[in-house]
Amino acid sequence: VIAVGDTAYELYSYSEKAADKYAAAINGTAASLKGEAKVYDVLIPLSSGITLPDRLYGEIPSGSQKKALQSISEKLSSDVTVVNPYDNLMKHRDEYIYFRTDHHWTADGAYYAYEAFCRAAGILPIPRENRESVDFDGFLGSFYKDTNQSKKLKNNPDTIRAYYPVSSETTLTYTTSEGKTNDWKVIYDVSDYGASMKY
């Protein structure tokens, strides 16, 4: 992890062995579910591959995530629908799409990946403008810890924007390998959680 002013980034290095192992797992899943379910693979770049200032590329020891994502997608079988949100994220790289103090993307970053998924799946995305949202201030994430609690990060904490779901009662039903069926709540209200847990 490196800190640039009040923002931290996770460095990236491509591993052919790890990529092969990952692709084998996805391909195996797709093969076992063929005819029963469609398998999508969303390849998610780190913030260092999208929002790191251009002037720092080549100056830090971090590999090209665009090339890595392309290499991984080429290892996936035709039974896998690959979703690569890289280009859509790059179009919005000047927006607040990754947290400055944490390794996750923001809800807006996730939304741009969702748009890429919808294109791949042939469905229309629900516009963000159709959702109510709420902001939670004071979030200091994993990079804050990784930078030994950098004062620059602490003095400019992240804001978490949460979009309200269409229904807070949404559930999913799944069946375990033992044949037991369970209902699982999809949406949780974390309004009472501490700032560091609100992500």
Side-chain angles (χ1 to χ4, degrees):
V1 173
I2 61 163
V4 180
D6 64 359
T7 303
Y9 300 91
E10 183 176 1
L11 302 181
Y12 175 78
S13 62
Y14 178 75
S15 164
E16 193 77 38
K17 184 177 178 182
D20 287 341
K21 188 174 181 180
Y22 174 82
I26 301 299
N27 290 338
T29 300
S32 68
L33 293 174
K34 192 168 185 171
E36 294 182 46
K38 191 163 186 170
V39 173
Y40 295 88
D41 185 56
V42 183
L43 300 169
I44 304 170
L46 305 174
S47 62
S48 58
I50 302 295
T51 59
L52 183 74
D54 289 338
R55 63 183 166 77
L56 295 177
Y57 282 103
E59 292 185 22
I60 61 167
S62 191
S64 169
Q65 291 178 54
K66 183 174 185 175
K67 288 179 183 175
L69 296 176
Q70 183 61 39
S71 177
I72 293 168
S73 68
E74 290 169 0
K75 295 175 184 291
L76 298 174
S77 78
S78 59
D79 294 329
V80 178
T81 300
V82 177
V83 179
N84 188 342
Y86 183 89
D87 290 338
N88 205 32
L89 289 166
M90 283 299 283
K91 287 181 198 172
H92 300 279
R93 69 186 299 219
D94 294 329
E95 298 175 29
Y96 188 43
I97 59 174
Y98 286 91
F99 293 114
R100 288 174 293 91
T101 71
D102 191 76
H103 63 284
H104 293 101
W105 52 21
T106 65
D108 289 327
Y111 181 82
Y112 293 129
Y114 161 72
E115 285 183 324
F117 168 78
C118 289
R119 278 194 295 277
I123 58 177
L124 292 174
I126 299 170
R128 279 176 297 177
E129 299 75 34
N130 291 3
R131 299 287 183 85
E132 289 182 59
S133 65
V134 61
D135 289 348
F136 299 101
D137 295 322
F139 175 61
L140 293 168
S142 60
F143 289 161
Y144 174 62
K145 294 177 188 130
D146 294 340
T147 57
N148 294 319
Q149 300 181 339
S150 162
K151 287 183 181 176
K152 288 184 178 179
L153 269 64
K154 183 178 184 179
N155 290 338
N156 195 10
D158 282 299
T159 297
I160 297 174
R161 173 162 289 160
Y163 291 92
Y164 285 102
V166 173
S167 169
S168 61
E169 302 306 315
T170 302
T171 61
L172 65 85
T173 302
Y174 68 93
T175 304
T176 68
S177 56
E178 292 81 29
K180 183 180 177 190
T181 300
N182 295 309
D183 290 325
W184 194 264
K185 194 172 172 72
V186 174
I187 305 297
Y188 288 87
D189 182 352
V190 299
S191 301
D192 294 334
Y193 285 24
S196 65
M197 296 296 292
K198 280 206 166 58
Y199 167 77

